[in-house]
Each structure stands twice: as structure tokens, then as C-alpha cells.
Amino acid sequence: MPRWLHAWAVATVLVTLGLLILGQFVTSFRAGMADPVWPTEPWYLADNYKLDLGYLIEHTHRIAGFLVGGFVSVLALGIVATEPRKVARSMSIVLLLALLAFFGQFHRELIAQRDPAVVVKLPTTALGAMLASLLGVVGVLLTGWNQRASGLRALGVVTLVAVMIQGLLGGFRVRLDALFGPELAPIHGIFAQIVFCLLVSLASLTARPSGAAVAEGPRRILSRVSFLLVATLLVQLLWGALVRHRPDSLNQRLHLLTAFVAVGLGVWLIRAGLQLAKPRVKVVAHVLSALLLVQVALGVEAWMGKFGEEARAGRSLNAYLPEAEAVSVKQAGIRTAHTLVGTGVLATTVVFWLRVRRKATPQGYQLEQP
Amino acid sequence: MFAAIRIRWGRIPSAALAALAFVLAGCGEQPGYPPDLEYPARSDRLVLRVPTAQPAGPNEAGKLDAELAALDSLGGLTRDPRALPQSTRDQVGGLLADLFGSPAAPEVKDAPGFGRDTLAEGSRLYRRHCLQCHGLTGDGRGPTGQWIDPHPRDFRRGAFKFTTTGDGGKPRTADLARTLREGVKGTGMPAFGLLPEADREKLVAYVKFLSLRGQTEFAALRDAFEDEEFDRGRVARFIGEWAKAETTPTIAARPAPDDGTKQSPDHLAAVKRGYELFTAKGTTDCLTCHDDFGRRTTWRYDVWGTVVRPADLTAGGFKGGDRPEQLFHRIKDGIQPSGMPAHPSLKDDQVWDLVWFVRAAPFPRELPDDVRMKVYP
């Protein structure tokens, strides 16, 4: 695997982290509808500048989305280019470029009907061409499924498609607000976490393997528990997104209860990881323990700021409507930090899982096919 | 430690599906309100008079209340409801609760035009689509509202900008429905054209309700500052203003010239007459506010105490819509809460000439040569 690819994957994760921070600010400051016009071009803000916090947050989030799209496109092309068969490599690259070109056309056709008074007609021709290109890439990859790192190449294509879907989810959250209200927003927020996990996985899998593998017995258990923690954290993020977007009492309870499960699993995993004496796993366990501690503290503060006595100003919980309350900069900061550290916990657990699931082989280490 | 863990992997997909079904089951429902939730008492300033001097610049997002508080020092007159004795505020709160109910059960006592079921459904829709900007009471201070410019409309003043009723009074239901359906260009107000018409009608009814409730609160608090007792009969008068708006005669729209006729001699002559009216001193005086056809900004206060600027005609994109009949009403009826005067003395043909000039102004090629030289020197 070329070294530049790993460096590019890490850079993509960092740029995406910036996008996530801006996305969390959009939610914290409730700026998702600060500009009801979508789609916009990357340079839209330069032509339509307004000194207005919500508008600027929303538009810098959109610009960061374009940037991430560019980074992921290069990453996916680079990963597909590692295909060892020459013809298959050329075909995959051409088809992936076609997918990107048709996505651009799809976006342009949506821009042409961005007047809010116009009912959106899905550009079906461009969409069909995108699907055909995608099927072509998948077909080429499947013919070489027994090749080395074929799973990684598939993951690269899946990530690119996930980023495209994520961009459209964000846009349709704005464009279809009249139909769905803010209900597409939590879906966009939750899917962002999945996309981020995919990118972290790519960054981890493109790294050169080093250090000793975990013995088979603990490996199996650690692999399963860390996967279970990934699943629990995704569910927890789902409840978290619902608490942010639709904070009724049921969602609050589910978020609190799942927090106990996640912390319990996390503590067990950290303890087991530290006992292994494998440096690559121990480092991740240390990071996870630090993030988990910070996350619990931020969770308490975020809850107090949203539902606690400070937020309710003496009103009973039943007579209080959290989404109607103004958000202070402090509260927005705490909520944003809580969500981002939650993303960090999830990403670290994904890396933990990927590292412990490497099997020892006589030649060194080999990845299981994802 | 490791041997003690046994995970039943087969159960994970079914658990995940159950969780997803649970979440999806909640989607699409209109969120209701807690039954004991009350409309919060007004705590922002009443703007009783705005300064006559020109504002120094536009409003800053997030500083609305501070800017309103500063109006007194600039020659305006505002009052802080929190300065009233608690007993007076409780009295006003009791009056409003008695007349208008709560977010879960809104009503207008003795007003058959405001059906309870419509208002209750409108209130739920409002929570989903409008509350984040316009706030629970329609004060324009929802959590998103504080960060966007222009500020979302505060319904409680009982005033609306884009009306077709001509007297600066209440808008027709159709006026509010049009704003809801088409949005307000260049602002954060989205178009709700995709929302079913029945839902939009309920939302409009609820906006009228919030406006009526807010106007009553405004009047009651103002009376309290003047040591006068609020006369409940005034609510009936406010309701009467809404009813009167519906009976105002409507103007028949003239078709807009299509691309082929925009260069026709008749149309160009109409544009030129419109230009002459626009620049005439002593009749329309449009250039007084729309200085250099709106390119030069002249800030002014609207009745809410916020800062607005007359439209830049050369930029186009009018907030109240750029269809001929919409521009006709902006010119004929004015945008009175913003200080744009009505022009009742103009004949309809003159107003139409102005409409054709205003529509052509952003596009130099649609102006007659001599007019183009003056608008785009």
C-alpha cells in the first residue's frame, strides 16, 4: 500500500473532523435553515456574503462538505488504483471518474431548480448513469475478490458513495424542510458518524502493520467486545441525535441508559486492552480511557445545560420546551464538544477493533476480509 | 477474563431492527405540547416609538434586545415589561390565558373564525416548522432567530409587511398563505410550497392567532404602563380588523409581458412612463428613499424598531415577490410597517407603469435606451 495513501487518508479524517465540528455548530446554534437555498456552488458565499453567524456557520459547513468530497474522491481513486490487475485497475478508475462526473451533473441539475418555489424533480438520467457507473466498479472489484486488499478497495468505494449520500442528505434536509421539518437533520447527523467511522477505518487499514498480533484466544473475545461497543456507541449516537433534535423524555431516558452500557463495555475493554501488553493496542486503550472520562463529564454538563435546573429556570420538566429555549455560546460549545468527543470514542473503538482483529500468520500479519 | 464472555451474535440484527423500527415509528408525527406548558410572559421591550433619525447601520445578529434597549437614547420610546409590578404582570398573564388558552389547547374566546381544532393542529405544525425561528409566542426570538438577519417576523405587533389590503391594516389570509407558500427571498424564511395546502391553512390560522394574542398582550402592557385598565372589548376590535381585511376588494392582475413583447414599443413606452413617475419630484418621491435607484443605502427603522433598507432596484430579488401583481400592491399599498408609503392618489395605470419599470430595472437590456443611460450611466 503506497505511503501517500495512508497520509492522504489521515488528512481526509482531519478535514472531515473539521466538517463535523462545523456540522455540530450548525445543530448547536440551530442554523440548519439559516439559508433555505440549496444546492449552492462552493463559491456561493463569496457572491452572497452576509455577516450573520448562523448563515456563516451553515455556509462554511457546506464549503467544508465540498472539501471533504474532494479529499474522499482522491482517496477512493488512490485506493482503487492499488488493484494489481492492469485492465481491472484502468476500468475501475475510469468508472469511478464517471461516477464522480455524473454526480457533478446530478448536482448541477439540482442547482438549476433551486428556486424554493419550484418542486424538485430528481435528475433521473444522471442518477441512472451514477448507478450504472457504480455497478460497473462493483462488478470489476468482485471479479478480483480473491486479490490482496480487495476488501479495502471495496471499502474505499463504499466510503465514497456514503459521502455522496451524506452530502445529499444534508442538502435535502434544507430543501425538503417543508415536507419533513427538521426530521432529516438527525438522520444526516447519525449518518455523519458512520461516514467518519468508514474514513477512520480507511486510515487505519492503509497503515503498514507493525507490532505483534494478539494471541488467538483474547483476540477473538476482544474483537467481539470491541465490535459490540462500536454497535452500542452507534445506538448511543442515535439516541444522542434524537435528544438534540427531538428532546422528549423517552429519548432522554434511552440516551442515559445506553450511556451506562457503553461506559461499562468501554471500561471492560480498556482494562483488557491494557492487560495485553501489546503497544499498538495499549495506546488505543489509553486514548479510549481519556476520551471516555472527558465524555462522561461533558455529558453531565450538556444534560444540565439542556434539561437541568440552570436551563429550566425553576420551571417543571413538563412545562418546559427545550427546543424553544435560546442557546448560549457556552451551551453550544459544551454540546458540540460532547458530540465530537462521542465521535472520538466511536472512532477510537473502531481502530481498537481493527487492531485486535488482525490474525497472526506465519508471514506476519494479515487482515481478515472486511 | 476472556473466556467468560459469550456473545449471541444472532440476536444483534434483530435487536438493531427493533431499535430502528422503534425510532422510525416516531417519525412523521406532529409533536404535541406538554399539557401544562404555558405561553411565556413577554419580557422583551415594547417599542412604542422609533427614533426619527436615520440609523447608523444594520442590526447585528444576536444583539436584537440590546439594540432595542438603545432606541430610547436615540429619541425612541420603549418600555420594559419586567419593570411592571409582578401583580400587574400576573394580571395580564391571567387575561391572556383566559382569552387564548395554552400551546396545547389554543383558543380565541367568542371568535367563531378561529376554530379550536384548526388552532390545535396549527399549533402542533407550528412547533415542527416555525418555532425554531419565530419562537413559541411568535416573538421572532426562537433559538435560530437570534442568529439570522433579517430577524424573523415578530407577529405580536399585529403588523405584516406584504399585504394587499391597502390601508396598512391586517393582511388577508391569502397574503399570509402566499408568504408561507413562496417564502421571502433573500431571507431565512423558506418556501413551504411542498407542505400540503390544508396544513398551510392551519399554520396561517395559527399565525393569525399568535398575532392576535401578541397584539392583545402589547395593548394590555402598554395600558398598564399608562395606569389604564385594559378593555377586553378591544380584542373584538382586533378580530374585526382581521375580518375587514378579507372583505377588501382585490386587484385583477395584468399579465406580464413575455420575452417577445418586452422590446415592444408599447411596453418600452410603459417602462419609460414608469421611470418618469419614479424620478418625479413632488408626486411619488421614490428617489428620496431609493437613492440612486436603491444602490445608495439609506437605513431606516421599521415599527418593530429593527433596521431596514429600501430595495436596490438594480439588484432585483424583491422580498415581497416580483410578480406584477405583487409589485403592484407594494407600490399602491406600500409596505407600511417599514415606512414605505402607500400611493392611493396614483391611478392604476400609473402604478402598472411603475411596475413595468421596477421589473425591468435590474436588466439594462429591458430598458429603453435613454432610460438605460440614466439608470446605468
Side-chain angles (χ1 to χ4, degrees):
Chain A
M1 198 61 59
R3 282 205 167 192
W4 76 266
L5 208 52
H6 175 61
W8 190 263
V10 171
T12 307
V13 167
L14 292 176
V15 174
T16 309
L17 196 61
L19 174 66
L20 282 180
I21 293 171
L22 288 165
Q24 294 306 336
F25 274 130
V26 168
T27 306
S28 298
F29 286 105
R30 302 188 186 156
M33 288 302 293
D35 187 352
V37 175
W38 183 86
T40 46
E41 303 88 349
W43 52 87
Y44 181 83
L45 188 60
D47 295 337
N48 299 273
Y49 180 77
K50 266 203 286 188
L51 186 59
D52 166 355
L53 183 67
Y55 183 86
L56 289 178
I57 291 175
E58 166 66 9
H59 276 287
T60 41
H61 178 55
R62 292 187 194 183
I63 291 169
F66 281 111
L67 196 63
V68 167
F71 267 77
V72 175
S73 301
V74 173
L75 182 62
L77 283 166
I79 289 174
V80 164
T82 62
E83 164 70 55
R85 299 168 301 154
K86 265 191 174 175
V87 176
R89 181 167 64 227
S90 306
M91 282 178 70
S92 304
I93 290 172
V94 168
L95 287 164
L96 214 53
L97 285 171
L99 173 65
L100 290 168
F102 290 129
F103 184 70
Q105 179 60 23
F106 182 81
H107 193 253
R108 275 191 293 277
E109 287 183 35
L110 284 177
I111 286 179
Q113 38 181 337
R114 74 177 166 199
D115 183 343
V118 173
V119 177
V120 184
K121 282 183 188 160
L122 218 55
T124 46
T125 312
L127 189 62
M130 279 167 65
L131 285 174
S133 314
L134 179 61
L135 284 174
V137 177
V138 171
V140 172
L141 289 177
L142 282 177
T143 59
W145 192 245
N146 57 348
Q147 299 286 328
R148 191 171 163 273
S150 58
L152 178 63
R153 284 188 286 280
L155 196 62
V157 175
V158 166
T159 307
L160 177 64
V161 174
V163 168
M164 289 172 168
I165 292 171
Q166 175 66 354
L168 292 176
L169 274 176
F172 282 119
R173 179 269 171 270
V174 174
R175 190 68 174 84
L176 302 180
D177 179 75
L179 275 185
F180 299 108
E183 269 154 19
L184 283 178
I187 296 173
H188 180 57
I190 293 160
F191 200 65
Q193 308 295 332
I194 294 169
V195 171
F196 190 68
C197 284
L198 289 172
L199 286 168
V200 167
S201 303
L202 286 180
S204 181
L205 292 172
T206 48
R208 291 191 174 177
S210 64
V214 180
E216 185 58 18
R219 190 194 71 81
R220 285 170 65 89
I221 296 299
L222 280 174
S223 167
R224 287 176 179 187
V225 175
S226 52
F227 182 78
L228 190 61
L229 181 55
V230 169
T232 307
L233 289 170
L234 279 171
V235 171
Q236 174 66 341
L237 281 162
L238 173 68
W239 304 144
L242 289 175
V243 166
R244 264 164 94 68
H245 294 276
R246 198 168 166 176
D248 61 33
S249 56
L250 180 63
N251 293 333
Q252 291 170 44
R253 286 189 174 94
L254 288 169
H255 192 53
L256 279 176
L257 288 171
T258 312
F260 285 104
V261 179
V263 170
L265 279 171
V267 168
W268 189 93
L269 203 63
I270 290 162
R271 189 169 157 239
L274 291 175
Q275 281 177 350
L276 279 177
K278 302 290 178 194
R280 283 173 60 80
V281 178
K282 275 180 96 170
V283 168
V284 184
H286 278 301
V287 173
L288 190 58
S289 61
L291 287 174
L292 214 53
L293 270 175
V294 175
Q295 181 65 348
V296 170
L298 284 171
V300 170
E301 285 306 309
W303 201 93
M304 291 304 290
K306 196 171 180 98
F307 307 110
E309 196 59 30
E310 179 192 336
R312 289 187 281 118
R315 281 169 288 175
S316 77
L317 199 57
N318 276 346
Y320 166 71
L321 213 55
E323 80 263 33
E325 301 299 317
V327 185
S328 69
V329 174
K330 178 189 160 196
Q331 286 168 350
I334 289 174
R335 287 173 203 175
T336 302
H338 180 53
T339 320
L340 285 172
V341 175
T343 306
V345 171
L346 176 65
T348 311
T349 313
V350 168
V351 173
F352 190 105
W353 175 56
L354 290 169
R355 288 193 174 182
V356 295
R357 71 194 292 273
R358 287 176 182 212
K359 277 184 175 172
T361 64
Q363 293 78 31
Y365 312 97
Q366 194 174 359
L367 278 174
E368 287 178 15
Q369 291 291 341
Chain B
M1 181 176 182
F2 296 109
I5 303 288
R6 293 282 181 275
I7 299 166
R8 295 183 177 176
W9 297 99
R11 292 193 179 174
I12 289 178
S14 53
L17 277 178
L20 188 66
F22 171 78
V23 173
L24 292 178
C27 289
E29 289 172 13
Q30 306 300 339
Y33 293 88
D36 48 353
L37 178 74
E38 293 171 357
Y39 290 107
R42 179 167 183 154
S43 58
D44 57 289
R45 286 176 172 267
L46 310 177
V47 178
L48 303 176
R49 189 181 68 232
V50 296
T52 47
Q54 194 180 321
N59 291 120
E60 280 184 53
K63 293 187 178 171
L64 175 62
D65 289 318
E67 286 171 338
L68 292 184
L71 291 181
D72 289 338
S73 63
L74 301 168
L77 179 64
T78 68
R79 288 284 180 266
D80 186 351
R82 290 169 298 188
L84 286 168
Q86 189 58 45
S87 58
T88 309
R89 298 187 69 199
D90 290 345
Q91 211 175 343
V92 173
L95 169 83
L96 291 169
D98 181 44
L99 285 172
F100 299 105
S102 66
E107 61 172 338
V108 183
K109 283 249 168 81
D110 308 324
F114 292 86
R116 281 189 188 188
D117 291 343
T118 304
L119 288 181
E121 187 59 26
S123 175
R124 283 193 286 274
L125 286 162
Y126 181 87
R127 181 180 178 185
R128 188 182 190 201
H129 294 289
C130 318
L131 184 145
Q132 61 174 334
C133 286
H134 291 285
L136 187 58
T137 58
D139 57 6
R141 287 169 169 77
T144 301
Q146 63 178 328
W147 303 115
I148 58 176
D149 177 51
H151 293 294
R153 177 63 50 244
D154 175 355
F155 304 135
R156 301 169 305 167
R157 184 79 192 203
F160 292 85
K161 283 185 177 176
F162 307 122
T163 67
T164 60
T165 45
D167 56 358
K170 299 285 184 274
R172 296 172 212 273
T173 301
D175 295 334
L176 295 178
R178 188 175 48 250
T179 302
L180 193 60
R181 187 176 63 245
E182 298 176 9
V184 180
K185 271 185 188 171
T187 75
M189 172 69 187
F192 286 91
L194 294 175
L195 203 63
E197 194 177 345
D199 285 356
R200 290 202 303 268
E201 284 170 5
K202 288 168 191 158
L203 274 172
V204 167
Y206 191 67
V207 167
K208 286 164 71 173
F209 162 83
L210 285 177
S211 178
L212 183 61
R213 184 189 174 281
Q215 195 176 5
T216 305
E217 183 182 38
F218 187 96
L221 289 170
R222 186 170 54 191
D223 287 356
F225 275 112
E226 290 166 6
D227 290 329
E228 287 176 16
E229 196 164 332
F230 180 73
D231 170 15
R232 290 171 74 122
R234 285 171 70 184
V235 180
R237 289 204 290 279
F238 296 150
I239 294 171
E241 290 171 11
W242 283 99
K244 183 186 159 211
E246 301 298 336
T247 58
T248 314
T250 52
I251 303 290
R254 288 191 185 182
D258 60 27
D259 288 338
T261 61
K262 276 183 181 170
Q263 296 298 325
S264 71
D266 284 352
H267 181 62
L268 290 174
V271 171
K272 187 170 181 182
R273 287 196 301 274
Y275 164 80
E276 283 161 358
L277 275 166
F278 193 91
T279 52
K281 286 182 182 166
T283 49
T284 59
D285 286 325
C286 301
L287 283 174
T288 309
C289 296
H290 297 274
D291 194 2
D292 193 18
F293 302 96
R295 292 187 188 98
R296 213 167 290 147
T297 305
T298 47
W299 304 105
R300 58 189 310 149
Y301 290 105
D302 61 20
V303 293
W304 293 273
T306 50
V307 178
V308 292
R309 58 163 291 178
D312 177 356
L313 267 65
T314 61
F318 303 103
K319 291 191 177 80
D322 49 15
R323 288 202 303 274
E325 73 274 17
Q326 290 171 318
L327 290 170
F328 181 96
H329 283 292
R330 296 298 86 76
I331 296 165
K332 180 87 174 174
D333 305 333
I335 310 174
Q336 298 193 29
S338 295
M340 160 108 176
H343 294 93
S345 59
L346 287 178
K347 291 174 186 162
D348 283 0
D349 281 343
Q350 289 177 303
V351 177
W352 283 117
D353 288 343
L354 277 164
V355 167
W356 303 134
F357 168 67
V358 169
R359 274 174 62 87
F363 311 104
R365 68 177 184 279
E366 291 183 14
L367 296 169
D369 292 342
D370 52 343
V371 173
R372 182 167 56 244
M373 298 288 282
K374 285 170 182 157
V375 179
Y376 294 93

